[in-house]
Amino acid sequence: MTLDLTAELTDARILAVIRGTDTAGAIAAGTALLEEGVRLVEVALTTPDALRAVEALRGVAPAGSLVGAGTVLTAADVADVAAAGAQFVVTPAVVESIPEAARRGIPVAAGAFTPTEAYTAMRMGASAIKLFPVSVGGPAYLRAVRDPFPDIPFVAVGGVGLADVPGYLKAGAIAVGVGGPLVGDAASGGDLDALRTRARTYLAAVRAPAAS
């Protein structure tokens, strides 16, 4: 049964992006996020030994949680992350990994910034569009891009601070993707207690009635 990534994102409302400088730190950060109830966690391939981190997090992920790989650019990357057990892939742009992942039945949140890129990525087989970097235009830009494409599921990613969450969800994002503002230095061996506190705060923000 193929994973319905759009439905999962719509339900969870938040995707955590782990991009660190330390493998053990990335695993610890991902584990903490999953334990706090963040159901979708992405490990960027720019993280040292990211494939091992994906494997480790798959091993500890609670039922109903999903572990994916980000910054997946090439067909070879798709093969690598599939072997590591990634349940979905995320790209930063419209790249060759999108049709390759779709061919393998792995759902893709494809990075795009313009309407043309968003449309092209969906035609290539993307399940959802990661509007990135969304902070350049803010919620108003997201709303403008959505207007001609009401059926494209957009995830707002790139500089989404806690205070920004309600605006993006009200503008029509099915979810927000958050890296630095949520993970902080935890994926590089930093403070896990602070990460847990931020995770609970972000979860409360995406679940708040005002964000619906």
Side-chain angles (χ1 to χ4, degrees):
M1 182 177 176
T2 303
L3 170 68
D4 187 341
L5 182 61
T6 301
E8 295 289 346
L9 286 163
T10 302
D11 185 55
R13 309 299 293 274
I14 186 166
L15 165 66
V17 182
I18 295 176
R19 188 185 303 277
T21 59
D22 177 77
T23 310
I27 294 170
T31 300
L33 288 164
L34 291 165
E35 289 176 349
E36 291 298 333
V38 177
R39 288 178 35 222
L40 279 76
V41 173
E42 162 201 341
V43 180
L45 290 188
T46 51
T47 301
D49 210 355
L51 299 176
R52 182 162 68 87
V54 170
E55 291 176 351
L57 292 175
R58 277 300 311 272
V60 300
S65 300
L66 301 172
V67 178
T71 323
V72 178
L73 303 176
T74 66
D77 287 342
V78 175
D80 289 342
V81 302
Q87 294 165 287
F88 62 91
V89 301
V90 183
T91 80
V94 180
V95 288
E96 68 180 66
S97 58
I98 298 170
E100 176 61 17
R103 183 185 72 79
R104 289 172 173 261
I106 305 171
V108 187
F113 185 69
T114 68
T116 299
E117 290 171 350
Y119 179 77
T120 300
M122 291 300 290
R123 290 291 298 269
M124 292 169 72
S127 299
I129 295 301
K130 164 185 154 180
L131 193 63
F132 174 80
V134 74
S135 60
V136 172
Y141 181 70
L142 167 62
R143 191 176 293 109
V145 175
R146 279 194 70 242
D147 280 347
F149 299 119
D151 295 328
I152 291 181
F154 285 97
V155 180
V157 183
V160 180
L162 182 64
D164 304 318
V165 170
Y168 285 118
L169 295 178
K170 287 178 183 177
I174 63 169
V176 293
V178 192
L182 168 61
V183 179
D185 64 355
S188 299
D191 191 336
L192 292 174
D193 288 337
L195 169 62
R196 289 178 181 276
T197 299
R198 289 191 297 271
R200 290 192 289 270
T201 306
Y202 265 93
L203 285 169
V206 299
R207 292 167 179 164
S212 303

